[in-house]
């Protein structure tokens, strides 16, 4: 009873780790209910001593009744009893859940289909844990399904798993092991105390029977958990992301100069996939124009993904100390657009340690310790977040003309060395594509514009969130085959192609300008965006926009005016003039009302690229994959048996003498013992006998422990009616085994492989077809080995404790103390 309850508690403790995947707690209470149903059924089965083989089916039935009452009560009979209609309703909800998990990123909404899918999975895990820990008494192996449940959030979300969730899950598993150990020890008998002089035997108190071993196991378990949590916090070598995301290496303590962040690409994809398009921030600008707000700048492409160098903020560069460092590459004579932007971050935003800013920011007025990175002008804090904060940004944004960009000189060596770096294994087809879509006689600026036109107009690209990511293989597939992706693929691809063409490039992550509502620009989750920034000497880093915009793509994206040389941008009166174009090169009209619109408004004047509709993975495909996975797992014993049998066949195929064509070598003088496997004849006989023993186990004809090989051969031949050839083959094998055990050499082995094959066929012919199928798919001999392996793992801690007790006994004997024993 105690072990059943501990199995339920362990499943519930591990299920707590799923909380980052959901918004709200509906999933938890439903999952808790299904765990209680499984545990209650197990307790009732133990109370009425039902056979163990009947308990899992009863638990499955109880889970079905619970799910019917919770999700399909209208179609059930009397709310609880499943019917055909209720089963169909549950199937429809499951299909909806499978579709929803393809559409949403974590945290997902508590839709009935998703909650049903979660409850069903947790219920199955609870049943498997109960089966292994309670019915099969293999509590250690129950950690495997619990680990499967615990790794789900680790595989889905980018942020580290909360340390408290880890401790709770580990404590649940340790409690299961402790309960199993207590029940095992309680069956060993009563403990006694033994005095050396005078002899005296007395029973120990019942409460202390399992105290020593139980406390030792607890100490080991809790020490392991404490070390797993605390050690990474004090190891700088684990930078930038120690276990669970805290410690010296992550720079979250006050006064640090560096900080670790989650993958910006993954975070952006999550915001784009959120069903609730909530407001992230609002802003107003002195000229009323919208601006792209950059948060991260990714400068490293390793062939698999774009990442950013560790940002470093010097104390003297704090935003509170004065202006930010000058933007790299911007010449004093370059015309700029000056503006002041006031940004208010929503109270619902958590963990924003990098500020969304228009580029390049000259001054940032904000409370707290915020510092810029000199190379990228990203502004971050190691101790504060921007949640609920309002800050003001002063910008002097370059306003280049097409002629100035055409006349730009080569980049400095420091910029070219870092921002032109590409992996040596970049596919040749990608390099060739960059040169094919641009003109050979064009300059860097013209090639950059041609690349943008290739993505937005000429290349046949389609905008869709249903993509694989930005790894190297996905990048090649996007450029050369599918040509379907979202801003991540467009930005990453244009940056790579730009570097191929000799144009320094990086990828920016942030937000588009948003939507104007009554003079205030609202930036929402779906305005998350990625775009390439290209470097031109004299102007510095400039934004380009290869992603389709409007209703056919990223809704609020816009193409910079300086990438449209045919458009007249107006005359500039000097560096301090404010042209009609939006700052940062956006083609936003000066009148804010001209951009005021609802998110669903169509922008027919933009690219018009068709939108790909992600219909998700069909339910039948998921079911097929699940069945295939179950089939592969079920075939593991068969594969192990086949591999062992093949190894033994190879041993039987070797020449008995150990040398080609030679006779059997005599044993050396004085060799009183011949061990199995030493020498070719002995190895072949040992392999044949082991294979015969496993075949008998698989066919349900196991030999008796007291039977000699000759007695076994006589019993099998007489009991199963072997013919003369079959009986002779079995007798030859038994004779060789006896000679190997007692004689100096086994002698001539003869056609040992043919004899074994004949005996196996004879055994298979004497059993039913079902037994033969089981011997192939689920061989009992292999299952028995797996069970023994699990038992050895479970007994490892007991051996350690036994060694400690023996050491204690020796010390007590030396000091005349007491010895602890059991009878």
């Amino acid at each position: 009873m105690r072990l059943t309850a501990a199995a339920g508690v362990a499943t519930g403790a591990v299920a707590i780790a799923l909380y980052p995947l959901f918004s709200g707690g509906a999933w938890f209470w439903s999952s808790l209910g299904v765990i209680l149903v499984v545990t209650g059924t197990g307790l009732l089965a133990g109370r009425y001593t039902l056979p163990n083989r009947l308990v899992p089916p009863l638990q499955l039935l109880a889970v079905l009744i619970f799910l019917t009452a919770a999700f399909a009560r209208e179609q059930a009979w009397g709310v609880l009893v499943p019917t055909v209609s209720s089963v169909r309703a549950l199937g429809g909800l499951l299909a909806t859940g499978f579709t929803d998990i393809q559409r949403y990123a974590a945290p997902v909404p508590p839709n009935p289909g998703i909650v049903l899918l979660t409850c069903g999975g947790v219920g199955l895990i609870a049943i498997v844990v109960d089966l292994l820990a309670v019915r099969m008494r293999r509590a250690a192996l129950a950690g495997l399904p619990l680990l499967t449940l615990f790794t789900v959030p680790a595989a889905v979300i980018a942020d580290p798993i909360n340390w408290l969730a880890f401790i709770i899950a580990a404590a649940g598993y340790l409690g299961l092991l402790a309960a199993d150990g207590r029940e095992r020890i309680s069956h060993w008998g009563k403990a006694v105390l033994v005095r050396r002089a005078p002899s005296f035997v007395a029973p120990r108190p019942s409460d202390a029977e399992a105290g020593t071993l139980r406390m030792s196991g607890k100490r080991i378990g809790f020490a392991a958990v404490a070390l797993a949590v605390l050690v990474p916090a004090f190891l700088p070598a684990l930078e930038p992301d120690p276990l669970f995301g805290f410690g010296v290496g992550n720079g979250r303590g006050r006064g640090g100069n560096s900080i670790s962040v989650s993958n910006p690409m993954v975070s952006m994809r999550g915001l784009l996939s959120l069903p609730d398009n909530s407001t992230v921030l609002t802003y107003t600008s002195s000229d009323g124009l919208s601006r792209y707000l950059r948060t991260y700048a990714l400068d490293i492409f390793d062939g698999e993904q774009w990442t950013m160098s560790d940002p470093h903020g010097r104390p003297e560069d704090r935003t509170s100390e004065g202006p930010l460092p000058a933007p790299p590459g911007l010449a004093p004579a370059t015309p700029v657009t000056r503006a002041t932007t006031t940004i208010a971050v929503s109270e619902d935003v958590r963990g924003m340690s990098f500020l969304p800013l228009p580029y390049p920011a000259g001054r940032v007025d904000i409370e707290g310790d915020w510092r810029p990175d000199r190379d990228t002008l990203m502004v971050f804090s190691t101790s504060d977040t921007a949640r609920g904060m309002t800050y003001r940004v002063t910008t002097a944004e370059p306003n280049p003309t097409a002629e100035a960009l055409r006349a730009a000189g080569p980049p400095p060596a420091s910029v070219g060395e870092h921002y032109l770096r590409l992996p040596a294994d970049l596919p040749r087809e990608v390099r060739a594509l960059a040169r094919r879509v641009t003109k050979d006689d064009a300059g860097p600026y013209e090639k950059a514009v041609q690349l943008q036109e290739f993505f937005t107009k000429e290349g046949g690209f389609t905008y869709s969130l249903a993509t694989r990511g930005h790894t190297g293989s996905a990048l090649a597939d996007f450029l050369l085959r599918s040509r379907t992706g979202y801003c991540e693929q467009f930005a990453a691809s244009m940056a790579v192609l730009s570097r191929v063409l000799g144009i320094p490039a990086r990828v920016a992550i942030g937000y588009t300008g948003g939507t104007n509502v009554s003079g205030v620009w609202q930036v929402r989750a779906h305005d998350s965006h990625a775009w390439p920034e290209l470097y031109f000497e004299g102007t510095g880093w400039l934004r380009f926009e290869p992603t389709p915009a409007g209703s056919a793509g990223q809704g609020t994206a816009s193409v910079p005016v300086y990438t449209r040389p045919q458009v007249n941008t107006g005359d500039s009166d000097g560096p301090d003039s404010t042209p009609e174009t939006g700052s940062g090169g956006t083609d936003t009209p000066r009148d804010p009302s001209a951009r005021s619109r609802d998110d669903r408004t169509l922008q027919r004047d933009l690219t018009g690229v068709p939108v790909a509709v992600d219909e998700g993975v069909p339910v039948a495909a998921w079911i097929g994959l699940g069945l295939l996975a179950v089939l592969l797992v079920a075939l593991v014993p068969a594969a192990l048996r086949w591999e062992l049998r093949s190894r033994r066949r190879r041993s039987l195929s070797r020449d008995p003498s150990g040398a080609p064509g030679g006779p059997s070598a005599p044993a050396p003088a004085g060799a009183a013992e011949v061990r199995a496997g030493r020498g070719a004849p002995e190895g072949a006989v040992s392999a044949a006998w082991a294979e015969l023993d496993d075949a008998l186990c698989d066919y349900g004809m196991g030999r008796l422990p007291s039977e000699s090989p000759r007695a076994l051969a006589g019993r099998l031949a007489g009991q199963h009616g072997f013919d003369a050839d079959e009986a002779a083959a079995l007798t030859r094998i038994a004779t060789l085994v006896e000679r190997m055990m007692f004689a100096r050499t086994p002698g001539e082995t003869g056609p040992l492989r043919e004899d074994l094959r004949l005996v196996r066929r004879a055994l298979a012919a004497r059993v039913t077809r079902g037994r033969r199928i089981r011997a192939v798919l689920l061989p009992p001999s292999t299952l028995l080995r797996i069970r023994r392996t699990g038992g050895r793992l479970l007994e490892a801690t007991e051996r350690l404790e036994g060694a400690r007790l023996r050491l204690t006994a020796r010390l007590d004997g030396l000091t005349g103390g007491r010895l602890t024993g059991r009878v």
Side-chain angles (χ1 to χ4, degrees):
M1 303 287 283
R2 180 190 298 112
L3 191 57
T4 302
V9 171
T11 306
V14 175
I16 293 177
L18 299 177
Y19 78 94
L21 303 180
F22 302 90
S23 57
W27 71 273
F28 176 75
W29 299 112
S30 300
S31 299
L32 181 60
V34 78
I35 292 173
L36 291 176
V37 166
V38 172
T39 305
T41 305
L43 291 174
L44 290 175
R47 174 68 177 79
Y48 293 101
T49 62
L50 294 180
N52 286 334
R53 65 177 179 275
L54 297 180
V55 178
L58 288 177
Q59 290 173 328
L60 284 173
L61 179 60
V63 169
L64 177 60
I65 294 174
F66 174 81
L67 296 179
T68 300
F71 298 96
R73 63 173 62 92
E74 292 82 2
Q75 292 80 15
W77 184 78
V79 179
L80 294 176
V81 180
T83 63
V84 176
S85 299
S86 67
V87 173
R88 289 176 179 173
L90 291 177
L93 278 179
L94 285 176
T96 303
F98 276 116
T99 303
D100 287 346
I101 61 176
Q102 299 301 310
R103 296 171 51 205
Y104 299 137
V108 299
N111 293 349
I114 296 178
V115 176
L116 172 61
L117 198 60
T118 305
C119 290
V122 172
L124 290 178
I125 294 293
I127 293 174
V128 174
V129 170
D130 183 85
L131 173 64
L132 293 174
V134 183
R135 314 305 154 192
M136 299 178 63
R137 301 306 302 272
R138 293 292 181 266
L141 292 180
L144 295 178
L146 292 176
L147 180 62
T148 302
L149 184 62
F150 185 78
T151 55
V152 171
V156 173
I157 61 177
D159 295 332
I161 297 176
N162 185 274
W163 63 271
L164 182 59
F166 169 78
I167 290 179
I168 294 174
Y173 180 55
L174 291 176
L176 176 61
L177 294 180
D180 178 71
R182 187 183 181 91
E183 287 203 4
R184 286 175 179 270
I185 295 173
S186 64
H187 297 297
W188 287 3
K190 290 192 175 294
V192 298
L193 296 177
V194 180
R195 290 184 183 272
R196 289 192 174 274
S199 298
F200 176 76
V201 179
R204 293 185 61 186
S206 59
D207 291 342
E209 289 182 2
T212 304
L213 289 178
R214 188 171 67 252
M215 289 305 299
S216 178
K218 289 180 180 179
R219 293 189 191 102
I220 294 173
F222 285 112
V225 174
L227 290 174
V229 174
L230 296 178
V231 169
F234 298 98
L235 292 180
L238 292 181
E239 187 181 4
D241 191 14
L243 186 62
F244 312 116
F246 72 93
V248 176
N250 70 350
R252 292 187 186 177
R254 291 189 176 273
N257 292 330
S258 63
I259 188 172
S260 295
V261 296
S262 58
N263 190 318
M265 289 289 194
V266 176
S267 301
M268 180 194 63
R269 170 63 187 272
L271 289 173
L272 287 172
S273 303
L274 283 177
D276 183 14
N277 191 18
S278 58
T279 299
V280 177
L281 58 88
T282 59
Y283 69 92
T284 58
S285 57
S286 58
D287 54 10
L289 302 178
S290 69
R291 285 167 170 80
Y292 273 44
L293 304 176
R294 193 194 65 170
T295 306
Y296 306 105
L298 313 184
D299 57 335
I300 300 174
F301 180 66
D302 59 5
E304 290 295 324
Q305 60 181 345
W306 280 91
T307 56
M308 70 179 186
S309 302
D310 292 337
H312 298 282
R314 304 194 304 182
E316 60 268 25
D317 290 338
R318 289 189 180 98
T319 57
S320 58
E321 299 294 329
L324 273 62
L330 181 61
T334 302
V336 296
T337 299
R338 301 188 184 276
T340 300
T341 305
T342 303
I343 302 173
V345 180
S346 171
E347 289 281 355
D348 297 330
V349 175
R350 300 178 183 272
M352 182 180 283
S353 55
F354 283 70
L355 295 181
L357 299 171
Y359 183 85
R363 186 181 182 94
V364 178
D365 296 322
I366 185 173
E367 295 182 358
D369 185 5
W370 296 87
R371 308 179 186 187
D373 177 71
R374 280 184 169 263
D375 295 333
T376 61
L377 296 187
M378 295 183 298
V379 176
F380 65 95
S381 175
T382 61
S383 57
D384 301 299
T385 65
R387 177 187 179 188
M389 300 192 70
T390 300
Y391 53 96
R392 186 173 59 184
V393 186
T394 302
T395 54
E397 300 163 340
N399 183 36
T401 62
E403 290 72 16
L405 293 176
R406 289 193 186 95
S414 58
V415 173
E417 180 183 358
H418 184 74
Y419 292 98
L420 290 177
R421 190 175 301 163
L422 288 170
D425 58 350
L426 185 70
R428 289 179 296 177
E429 296 83 357
V430 173
R431 297 180 183 270
L433 177 66
R435 299 182 178 92
R436 187 168 66 249
V437 300
T438 57
K439 297 180 180 179
D440 295 337
D441 57 349
Y445 166 69
E446 285 87 354
K447 290 183 178 180
V449 174
Q450 290 164 9
L451 284 179
Q452 180 174 281
E453 294 288 317
F454 169 68
F455 285 106
T456 57
K457 294 183 179 180
E458 300 171 0
F461 288 87
T462 302
Y463 183 90
S464 172
L465 288 174
T467 55
R468 294 190 301 161
H470 60 283
T471 61
S473 57
L475 180 70
D477 180 75
F478 170 73
L479 283 172
L480 304 174
R481 288 174 288 276
S482 71
R483 296 198 173 180
T484 299
Y486 64 107
C487 58
E488 175 185 341
Q489 283 74 37
F490 285 95
S493 299
M494 182 169 175
V496 170
L497 296 184
S498 298
R499 290 191 177 188
V500 170
L501 298 174
I503 307 172
R506 65 190 184 192
V507 175
I509 305 291
Y511 302 92
T512 60
T515 305
N516 192 308
V517 180
S518 301
V520 177
W521 294 95
Q522 290 186 351
V523 176
R524 301 180 178 179
H526 290 182
D527 293 320
S528 299
H529 194 46
W531 62 91
E533 290 182 340
L534 275 56
Y535 182 89
F536 296 92
E537 183 62 22
T539 303
W541 292 99
L542 289 178
R543 176 180 70 88
F544 282 75
E545 188 53 271
T547 304
S551 61
Q554 185 77 7
T556 51
S558 59
V559 177
V561 169
Y562 50 76
T563 64
R564 297 180 177 180
Q566 71 277 11
V567 177
N568 183 15
T569 61
D571 296 329
S572 175
D573 297 331
D576 296 335
S577 63
T578 305
E580 293 298 316
T581 60
S583 61
T586 59
D587 57 348
T588 308
R590 173 174 292 278
D591 182 8
S593 63
R595 281 288 305 272
S596 179
R597 60 174 179 79
D598 184 81
D599 285 340
R600 294 169 293 181
T601 303
L602 298 178
Q603 296 186 7
R604 297 183 179 87
D605 58 331
L606 295 176
T607 58
V609 179
V611 178
V613 179
D614 177 20
E615 299 182 357
V617 180
V619 176
W622 280 106
I623 296 176
L625 290 175
L627 293 177
L628 178 60
V630 172
L631 178 61
L632 292 177
V633 172
L635 290 178
V636 168
L640 294 175
R641 180 73 177 92
W642 179 86
E643 192 277 334
L644 180 60
R645 186 177 175 185
S646 300
R647 187 152 30 100
R648 290 168 176 168
R649 283 178 177 175
R650 290 192 296 270
S651 179
L652 293 174
S653 299
R654 297 169 186 162
D655 186 74
S657 66
S664 178
E673 293 184 5
V674 179
R675 297 185 179 271
R678 298 190 60 182
E682 291 84 355
V685 174
S686 178
W689 181 245
E691 180 60 27
L692 178 60
D693 193 33
D694 283 352
L696 292 173
C697 180
D698 293 340
Y699 294 135
M701 304 176 181
R703 60 186 177 90
L704 302 177
S706 60
E707 275 186 319
S708 65
R710 186 173 304 180
L712 173 66
R715 179 176 65 84
L716 290 177
Q719 183 176 348
H720 299 287
F722 283 13
D723 59 25
D725 293 337
E726 296 167 348
L730 182 57
T731 302
R732 283 194 294 270
I733 294 175
T735 302
L736 287 173
V737 173
E738 289 189 341
R739 287 186 59 84
M740 185 185 70
M741 296 170 60
F742 304 111
R744 212 178 263 268
T745 64
E748 294 292 337
T749 57
L752 189 57
R753 183 172 181 176
E754 296 300 325
D755 288 343
L756 180 62
R757 179 180 300 152
L758 183 60
V759 172
R760 279 186 57 89
R761 290 178 179 176
L763 294 175
R766 268 71 177 181
V767 297
T768 62
R769 179 180 299 177
R771 174 68 71 173
R772 291 196 298 271
I773 295 175
R774 182 187 177 188
V776 174
L777 300 180
L778 291 173
S781 59
T782 303
L783 297 178
L784 185 60
R785 287 190 179 89
I786 296 176
R787 182 177 179 181
R788 289 171 180 168
T789 301
R792 294 190 191 101
L793 294 176
L794 186 61
E795 294 167 1
T797 56
E798 298 177 1
R799 294 174 184 169
L800 292 175
E801 182 60 24
R804 191 190 72 82
L805 288 176
R806 288 192 295 271
L807 178 60
T808 303
R810 292 177 183 176
L811 294 177
D812 287 346
L814 293 175
T815 58
R818 297 180 178 182
L819 293 177
T820 302
R822 289 188 179 272
V823 294

